[in-house]
């Protein structure tokens, strides 16, 4: 672990300040600026694979996206820290073995402050300076009651401060276009986001949504709450629906049911036969994602962040529909 000479050491036995091992690594905000041009930047999210076959598929997808030049990529963290070791290992490999800019997920759930500091240090040793800081979902039931680790933190805002105090890290946080399910109302939810940004976060990535107006109203609420913090990038998250089966996954990730108008289009595409018309559902899902992405571009979104489920083809098709020059040739899904 790399410490700055002359700094006092914390009572956790770790350096009070940490610096990434590789100099010159851009922040997410800098990368958005670098990738801005004729097209709005895009970024992608991977999931930690469950087995060796899944990991091999992930790396094929990683190499496909590497040729597509996203502004950054992120690797999610299982509920309750269930994939911590795999997430940390693969995120480090993304930093050291690819040309991609990885964002490490860091969640408070199930971890002491000492463990969180050590994890930040391990990321720094891999040359990672970008962190997406999340409170995290309770294990077993993402909508269940939050339980703080006895030696951990209660809120993501506190974790933002810990990471920023440790060194020169670029920090992102989560935002919720329809409000977090534990927030009493949308205005309070916007105040929570503004507080995380004031604590040192540089941008936020939204929870997935399927009505662009929810994203636009979120931006308005944050700007009304704190104009300075509202000027920071709020990056919308999208997931192309490729089958009726992925609807359940989309609703699980978003915590919300899909809008009735979207469901009608997907159900109509599926047909009335004993088996869904997968090709038609997929085509409808790509069309819906393309329409949403174009609306977001027209409304000045700073980036398009795609949930990939470790496949590149659907994202590739949406970007192609939008006029991006996509150089990779994804293999499936």
């Amino acid at each position: 672990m790399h410490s700055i000479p002359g700094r006092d050491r914390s009572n956790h036995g770790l350096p009070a300040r940490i610096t990434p091992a590789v100099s010159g690594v851009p922040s997410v905000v800098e990368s958005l600026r670098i990738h801005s041009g004729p097209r709005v930047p895009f970024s992608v999210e991977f999931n930690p694979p469950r087995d060796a076959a899944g990991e091999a598929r992930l790396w094929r997808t990683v190499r496909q996206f590497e040729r597509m030049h996203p502004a950054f990529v992120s690797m999610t963290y299982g509920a309750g820290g269930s994939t911590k070791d795999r997430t940390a290992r693969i995120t480090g490999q993304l930093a050291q073995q690819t040309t991609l800019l990885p964002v490490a997920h860091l969640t408070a759930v199930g971890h002491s402050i000492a463990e969180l500091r050590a994890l930040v240090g391990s990321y720094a040793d891999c040359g990672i300076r970008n962190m997406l800081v999340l409170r995290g979902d309770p294990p077993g039931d993402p909508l269940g009651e939050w339980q703080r680790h006895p030696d951990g933190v209660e809120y993501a805002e506190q974790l933002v401060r810990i990471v920023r105090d440790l060194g020169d890290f670029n920090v992102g946080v989560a935002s919720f276009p329809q409000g977090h399910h534990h927030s009493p109302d949308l205005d309070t939810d916007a105040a929570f986001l503004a507080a995380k940004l004031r604590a040192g976060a540089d941008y936020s990535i939204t929870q997935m949504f399927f009505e662009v107006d929810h994203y636009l109203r979120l931006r308005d609420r944050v700007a009304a709450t704190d104009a300075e913090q509202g000027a920071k990038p709020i990056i919308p998250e999208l997931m192309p629906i490729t089958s009726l089966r992925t609807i359940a996954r989309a609703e699980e990730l978003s915590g919300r049911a899909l809008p009735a108008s979207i469901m009608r289009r997907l159900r109509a595409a599926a047909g009335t036969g004993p088996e869904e018309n997968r090709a038609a559902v997929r085509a409808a899902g790509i069309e819906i994602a393309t329409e949403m992405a174009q609306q977001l571009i027209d409304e000045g979104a700073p980036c398009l962040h795609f949930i990939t489920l470790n496949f590149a083809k659907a994202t590739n098709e949406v970007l192609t529909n939008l006029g991006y020059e996509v150089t990779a040739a994804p293999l499936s899904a």
Side-chain angles (χ1 to χ4, degrees):
M1 192 174 294
H2 301 259
S3 60
I4 297 176
R7 299 281 185 173
D8 293 335
R9 303 182 72 84
S10 77
N11 57 14
H12 295 297
L14 294 167
R17 296 282 289 178
I18 302 170
T19 184
V22 178
S23 61
V25 176
S27 70
V28 162
V29 174
E30 290 167 342
S31 187
L32 294 181
R33 193 177 305 118
I34 292 167
H35 284 80
S36 292
R39 300 292 175 190
V40 170
F42 78 96
S43 55
V44 298
E45 179 176 292
F46 302 129
N47 302 106
R50 297 180 179 179
D51 52 31
E55 185 159 348
R57 188 187 78 198
L58 167 64
W59 280 103
R60 289 194 296 271
T61 299
V62 164
R63 295 307 178 186
Q64 290 164 4
F65 275 118
E66 195 169 18
R67 299 194 299 274
M68 294 165 66
H69 308 295
F72 65 91
V73 302
S74 68
M75 174 65 69
T76 65
Y77 206 72
S82 58
T83 64
K84 180 189 74 170
D85 292 342
R86 193 177 303 118
T87 294
R89 174 176 60 81
I90 295 176
T91 306
Q93 290 172 328
L94 288 170
Q96 296 177 322
Q97 300 175 19
T98 78
T99 59
L100 297 167
L101 178 68
V103 174
H105 283 219
L106 189 69
T107 66
V109 63
H111 294 305
S112 68
I113 291 174
E115 289 170 338
L116 291 165
R117 287 171 59 89
L119 187 54
V120 172
S122 69
Y123 282 137
D125 283 342
C126 296
I128 295 171
R129 68 171 293 204
N130 293 286
M131 310 273 174
L132 186 65
V133 168
L134 311 161
R135 190 170 77 160
D137 296 325
D141 180 8
L143 302 180
E145 288 300 314
W146 163 260
Q147 295 290 330
R148 183 180 72 87
H149 187 285
D151 299 312
V153 299
E154 182 70 26
Y155 299 109
E157 176 187 346
Q158 296 168 287
L159 187 50
V160 170
R161 295 184 189 280
I162 288 171
V163 174
R164 290 308 299 262
D165 287 346
L166 281 172
D168 182 24
F169 296 103
N170 184 250
V171 178
V173 292
S175 51
F176 303 90
Q178 294 172 268
H180 190 276
H181 55 272
H182 283 155
S183 292
D185 55 62
L186 293 176
D187 288 337
T188 301
D189 191 78
F192 287 151
L193 174 55
K196 291 188 288 188
L197 294 167
R198 277 194 299 273
D202 303 278
Y203 65 96
S204 76
I205 299 177
T206 73
Q207 189 179 52
M208 181 173 37
F209 57 91
F210 284 90
E211 292 186 59
V212 172
D213 191 60
H214 290 314
Y215 169 80
L216 300 179
R217 299 292 76 77
L218 169 65
R219 282 197 322 195
D220 292 344
R221 289 192 300 273
V222 179
T225 300
D226 187 323
E228 181 180 355
Q229 304 311 318
K232 293 179 178 179
I234 299 178
I235 299 171
E237 183 175 72
L238 303 169
M239 188 179 88
I241 298 293
T242 56
S243 71
L244 294 184
R245 185 177 63 181
T246 60
I247 292 174
R249 180 62 173 154
E251 292 180 340
E252 177 188 350
L253 290 171
S254 68
R256 308 281 181 173
L258 266 66
S261 59
I262 300 288
M263 286 302 303
R264 282 195 295 270
R265 291 174 67 176
L266 295 171
R267 295 289 183 192
T272 57
E275 305 231 349
E276 71 174 282
N277 184 334
R278 286 285 300 274
V281 171
R282 189 181 187 286
I286 297 296
E287 183 178 58
I288 291 165
T290 300
E291 292 169 1
M292 290 182 61
Q294 186 61 62
Q295 281 184 269
L296 290 162
I297 291 170
D298 293 343
E299 292 288 352
C303 181
L304 302 173
H305 187 68
F306 290 92
I307 295 176
T308 69
L309 302 180
N310 295 352
F311 291 100
K313 188 176 181 182
T315 301
N316 179 292
E317 290 183 22
V318 173
L319 292 172
T320 298
N321 289 346
L322 294 168
Y324 286 70
E325 294 184 9
V326 180
T327 58
L331 302 177
S332 61

